[in-house]
């Protein structure tokens, strides 16, 4: 429930401003639709080509590897280089010349002029050569007067879109279709198109003629070529406001590139063929010399297969080293056993068994020895070493030790001889291994030269055949994988993205504005703000009401009346232990204009309407307001009673004409020394005089954040209602209320939140039932 209330509190500022947010959203979406309606859309065309890879047909992969590392320079296609060729200004210019992109036709629209390419409403023919027309930079405006005449005007293109039609009527010259028109760049002939694409009478057409170099630079900047690493596939793409121009340009560009490559190949073929033939003669002689050198080396060193021989030597060395290690281990174990026999010479000492000596006789002797020792030790437990059986066992043990020592010496001698033989064999094998690399290096050098010359010779023969075939047929370098294609959906502006952006901005701007206002707002608004800042008990909240209706009535179903009834109930609960006298309730606030007088009066009225005798005392003697609300004369009151010791309390009590249960003691004459006046003992006399005559005494006091008057008389209160005005008091000012509560300067203190705006979702909300006398509006259903 707390999470739900917290979420509702977060959303409440935005829900309150929903109309403002909706208006902003509608405004932004309207701007988006206007932008999408009249903006120039940009379309993207794309095509895919694959460059031929001559390396894929090569029979010399080793040579290709070296070529990839730059050791040899070849004529194979380099994808990155070809990309630069395709983007070259020369090829782009040739494509634009063929497509006549330097001449653009713009047809008048309601807001903007739009370009048309494939079916312009008019056609222009030039008398001058193309080389001159390619340098012209001008704009012509043509207005169709009739089926045979037109108005021609030359003007700056940037001003055409805002030029009024009446301005065009005052300038220009009238001509007939089909007749030559003299211009600064030669004669031109303008003819109209007939049929479906004919120009309408009165329409205006703009013809823009641009220098070919400028147009080429523009398309070069827009052209994008993409290639993945290790791939020969290139993707071409370009964006243009006219879909047909984008696709036609890419197709024409690929065509011009292939034409350029074919021309280059035809020029290179002959030179390549001559070069290969000359190199073949040289390489053939070098290959023969290398073959003779290799033959001589094999004969001199008696070489067959060095790699196999080296492998056998290495294997023998590994096996021999394993035997050496094993024999050395046996010798070491025998020495360990001999040392143990010398150190452990007593008859009752056991020998280690199965220590790894390979001779079986040692294991048998050791086992027999240990059995006799164990038997002797068992007998000694019940007899002495003089026992004949013990003496006999001792002699047998000594004899076994002697036999074991002789066996160990014999085994060690045998293993030592084996070890020496293995070491000599290892030296012989190593000498063979060490001599092999030198021979292998010599043969490898010759073999490498032989392989290089042979590969180069075969490569040149292959290239000679390829050159002969290429000389007859020169194929294009680029294979078209996908022809140019243009999607019907524009790439700019992206309609879904623009709509989404408009929606987001339409929500973000007003929401951000509301959030900023809420962030900078430091006022107390609701119960949550009170509870976050204060630990003081909360007695209720009073909703904001019509300014004309200050006081509640007896028969009142308004939210304000219900709120005061709720406060009345809470007061009875908090003061239920007081029954023998009046319950004295002080009402104060932090500063002025928080509604403490308003709250005091309405609380007194609510109690009086429940047939309880109520006395309202106005102790805010500096700025009294309660009597103004109740229309009670303020001639004599609290200050008069305190200042005049002869004045009886009943002389300052006034009857409220609206209720027989409510009496009032006004503030009286405003004194020059209010604080000192409230320190008089007459204040105590005043409360003592009336507390047994009423059920409730409501005391309207001064603001504790401004003066000390209330603190001087706080000891007479049973309950302090601390009024906080919503949307008025700053949150940092609540510190005064918390300090008063912590220091117990205001006894039995409780917070009353006044002026809560329930339409904003603050407070609890009140109101149940209908006003009996209230009439329903005419426009509402009965």
């Amino acid at each position: 429930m707390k999470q739900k209330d917290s979420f509702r509190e977060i959303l409440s500022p935005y829900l309150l401003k929903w109309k403002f947010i909706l208006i902003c959203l509608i405004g932004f979406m309207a701007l988006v639709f206007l932008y999408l309606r009249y903006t120039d859309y940009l379309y993207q065309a794309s095509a895919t080509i694959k460059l031929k890879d001559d390396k894929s047909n090569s029979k010399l992969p080793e040579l290709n590897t070296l070529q990839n590392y730059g050791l040899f320079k070849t004529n194979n296609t380099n994808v990155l280089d070809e990309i630069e060729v395709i983007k070259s200004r020369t090829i782009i210019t040739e494509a634009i010349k063929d497509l006549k992109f330097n001449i653009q036709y713009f047809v008048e629209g309601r807001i903007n002029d739009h370009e048309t390419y494939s079916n312009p409403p008019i056609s222009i023919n030039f008398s001058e050569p193309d080389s001159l027309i390619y340098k012209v930079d001008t704009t012509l405006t043509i207005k169709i007067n009739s089926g045979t005449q037109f108005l021609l005007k030359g003007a700056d293109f940037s001003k055409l879109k805002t030029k009024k039609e009446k301005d065009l009527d005052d300038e220009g010259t009238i001509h007939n279709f089909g007749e030559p028109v003299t211009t600064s760049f030669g004669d031109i002939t303008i003819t109209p198109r007939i049929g479906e694409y004919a120009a309408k009478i009165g329409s205006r057409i703009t013809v823009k003629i641009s220098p070919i170099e400028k147009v080429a630079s523009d398309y070069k900047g827009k052209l994008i070529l993409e290639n993945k690493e290790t791939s020969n596939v290139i993707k071409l793409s370009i964006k243009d406001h006219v879909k047909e121009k984008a696709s036609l340009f890419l197709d024409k560009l690929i065509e011009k590139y292939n034409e350029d490559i074919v021309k280059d190949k035809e020029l290179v073929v002959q030179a390549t063929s001559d070069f290969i033939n000359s190199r073949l003669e040289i390489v053939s002689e070098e290959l023969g010399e290398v073959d003779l050198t290799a033959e001589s080396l094999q004969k001199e060193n008696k070489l067959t297969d060095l790699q196999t021989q080296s492998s056998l030597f290495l294997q023998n060395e590994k096996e021999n080293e394993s035997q050496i290690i094993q024999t050395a281990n046996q010798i070491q174990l025998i020495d360990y056993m001999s040392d143990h026999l010398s150190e452990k010479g007593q008859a009752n000492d056991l020998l280690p068994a199965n220590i790894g000596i390979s001779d079986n006789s040692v294991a048998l002797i050791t086992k027999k020895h240990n059995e006799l020792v164990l038997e002797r030790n068992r007998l000694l437990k019940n007899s002495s070493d003089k026992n004949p059986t013990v003496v006999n066992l001792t002699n047998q043990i000594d004899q076994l030790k002697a036999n074991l020592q002789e066996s160990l010496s014999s085994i060690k001698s045998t293993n030592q001889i084996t070890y020496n033989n293995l070491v000599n064999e290892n030296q012989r094998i190593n000498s063979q291994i060490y001599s092999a690399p030198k021979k292998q290096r010599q043969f490898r050098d010759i073999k490498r030269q032989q392989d290089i010359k042979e590969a180069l010779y075969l490569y040149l023969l292959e290239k000679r055949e390829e050159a002969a075939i290429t000389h007859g047929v020169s194929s294009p370098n680029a294979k078209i994988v996908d022809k140019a294609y243009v999607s019907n959906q524009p790439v700019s502006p992206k309609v879904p993205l623009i709509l989404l952006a408009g929606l987001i901005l339409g929500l973000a701007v007003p929401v951000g504005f509301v959030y900023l206002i809420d962030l900078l707002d430091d006022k107390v608004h609701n119960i949550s703000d009170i509870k976050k800042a204060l630990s003081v008990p909360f007695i209720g909240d009073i909703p904001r009401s019509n300014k004309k209706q200050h006081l509640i009535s007896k028969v009142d179903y308004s939210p304000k009346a219900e709120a005061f009834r709720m406060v009345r109930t809470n007061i009875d609960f908090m003061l239920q232990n007081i029954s023998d006298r009046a319950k004295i309730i002080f009402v104060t606030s932090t500063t002025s204009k928080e509604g403490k007088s308003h709250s005091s009066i309405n609380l007194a009225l609510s109690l009086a309407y429940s047939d309880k005798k109520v006395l309202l005392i106005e102790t805010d003697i500096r700025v009294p307001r309660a009597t103004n609300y109740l229309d009670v004369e303020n001639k004599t009151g609290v200050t008069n009673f305190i200042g005049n010791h002869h004045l009886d309390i009943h002389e300052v009590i006034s009857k409220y004409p609206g209720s027989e249960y409510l009496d009032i003691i006004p503030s009286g004459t405003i004194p020059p020394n209010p604080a000192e006046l409230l320190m008089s003992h007459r204040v105590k006399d005043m409360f003592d005089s009336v507390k047994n005559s009423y059920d409730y005494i409501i005391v309207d006091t001064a603001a504790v954040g401004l003066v000390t008057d209330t603190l001087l008389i706080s000891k007479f209160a049973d309950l302090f209602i601390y009024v906080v005005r919503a949307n008025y008091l700053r949150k940092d000012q609540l510190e005064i209320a918390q300090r008063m509560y912590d220091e117990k300067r205001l006894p039995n203190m409780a917070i009353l939140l006044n002026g809560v705006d329930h339409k904003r979702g603050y407070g609890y909300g009140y109101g149940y039932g209908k006003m009996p006398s209230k009439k329903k509006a005419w426009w509402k259903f009965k």
Side-chain angles (χ1 to χ4, degrees), residues 402-418:
N403 294 339
L404 181 59
Q405 190 68 43
E406 290 179 0
S407 297
L408 291 174
S409 298
S410 176
I411 295 170
K412 181 179 179 180
S413 298
T414 303
N415 281 290
Q416 188 65 48
I417 294 171
T418 302

Side-chain angles (χ1 to χ4, degrees), residues 123-172:
S123 176
I124 300 179
N125 296 315
F126 300 91
S127 60
E128 296 296 328
D130 290 342
S131 58
L132 177 61
I133 302 302
Y134 290 154
K135 297 179 181 179
V136 174
D137 186 5
T138 188
T139 300
L140 303 176
T141 302
I142 300 168
K143 179 185 176 185
I144 308 300
N145 290 339
S146 65
T148 58
Q149 288 186 338
F150 63 90
L151 179 71
L152 177 64
K153 175 183 176 294
D156 181 67
F157 181 71
S158 62
K159 297 179 182 178
L160 286 172
K161 295 185 179 180
T162 59
K163 203 74 173 173
K164 300 290 186 181
E165 185 177 347
K166 62 181 181 180
D167 295 335
L168 293 175
D169 292 338
D170 298 335
E171 303 176 9

Side-chain angles (χ1 to χ4, degrees), residues 25 56 89 110 112 121 290 294 298 311 319 437 488 635 741:
L25 177 61
S56 61
R89 189 182 299 274
R110 286 186 298 177
N112 289 339
V290 173
Q298 286 182 322
S311 298
E319 294 176 355
N488 290 326
K635 294 182 179 180
Y741 180 75

Side-chain angles (χ1 to χ4, degrees), residues 328-551:
N329 288 338
Q330 289 293 314
I331 294 172
Q332 191 67 42
L333 290 173
I334 291 170
D335 289 340
Y336 290 159
M337 192 67 173
S338 298
D339 293 342
H340 185 78
L341 287 174
S342 301
E343 294 174 359
K344 305 293 182 178
Q346 300 297 325
N348 59 349
D349 292 332
L350 296 172
L351 296 177
N354 299 323
I355 63 173
I357 299 175
S358 58
D359 194 294
N360 291 330
S361 62
V362 174
L364 292 174
I365 295 173
T366 302
K367 180 179 180 183
K368 183 64 177 175
H369 172 271
N370 290 337
E371 289 176 353
L372 293 176
V373 170
L374 293 174
E375 179 65 20
R376 179 178 179 276
N377 291 338
R378 185 180 61 80
L379 292 174
L380 284 176
K381 292 180 181 179
N382 299 318
S383 64
S384 65
D385 55 359
K386 302 298 185 181
N387 187 310
T389 303
V390 174
V391 172
N392 184 27
L393 290 174
T394 302
N395 293 334
Q396 291 182 36
I397 290 170
D398 292 339
Q399 184 61 39
L400 287 174
K401 284 183 177 180
N403 294 339
L404 181 59
Q405 190 68 43
E406 290 179 0
S407 297
L408 291 174
S409 298
S410 176
I411 295 170
K412 181 179 179 180
S413 298
T414 303
N415 281 290
Q416 188 65 48
I417 294 171
T418 302
Y419 177 80
N420 294 334
N421 292 334
L422 290 172
V423 170
N424 293 332
E425 179 64 16
N426 190 59
Q427 292 176 354
R428 185 187 69 80
I429 293 173
N430 286 337
S431 64
Q432 294 292 332
I433 293 175
Y434 295 149
S435 63
K438 181 178 179 181
K439 297 176 182 179
Q440 188 174 10
R441 180 182 57 79
Q442 293 175 349
F443 183 74
R444 188 181 300 148
D445 291 341
I446 300 300
K447 181 64 176 174
R448 184 184 296 112
Q449 295 180 23
Q450 189 179 21
D451 291 343
I452 292 173
K453 297 298 181 182
E454 183 179 358
L456 185 56
Y457 183 77
L458 295 175
Y459 175 75
L460 291 173
L461 286 176
E462 182 181 0
K463 287 301 177 182
R464 184 172 66 178
E465 294 301 321
E466 290 179 1
I469 296 172
T470 306
H471 184 71
V473 180
S474 294
S475 61
N477 195 46
K479 176 186 176 182
I480 299 177
V481 179
D482 286 322
K483 293 190 68 176
Y485 171 77
V486 186
S487 174
N488 290 326
Q489 297 298 323
V491 295
S492 177
K494 295 184 181 296
V495 176
L497 187 61
I498 295 296
L499 291 174
L500 180 61
L503 180 63
I504 292 175
L505 286 175
L507 291 173
V509 170
V511 168
F513 179 77
V514 173
Y515 172 76
L516 182 62
I517 296 299
D518 188 63
L519 185 66
L520 297 176
D521 185 12
D522 62 347
K523 297 294 191 297
V524 176
H525 293 290
N526 52 26
I527 300 171
S528 177
D529 294 336
I530 296 292
K531 292 183 177 180
K532 288 178 183 178
L534 300 177
S535 59
V536 184
F538 187 80
I539 198 171
D541 61 341
I542 307 301
R544 187 174 65 182
S545 60
N546 191 343
K547 293 183 179 180
K548 297 181 180 179
Q549 185 181 357
H550 296 294
L551 305 179

Side-chain angles (χ1 to χ4, degrees), residues 75 82 85 88 90-91 256-272 470 474-475 477:
N75 293 326
E82 295 305 313
V85 173
S88 66
T90 302
I91 294 179
K256 289 297 178 182
Y257 167 71
N258 280 329
E259 290 180 1
D260 183 70
I261 291 297
V262 169
K263 291 178 182 178
D264 289 344
K265 286 182 177 180
E266 290 175 350
L267 295 174
V268 171
V269 165
Q270 189 60 42
T272 303
T470 306
S474 294
S475 61
N477 195 46

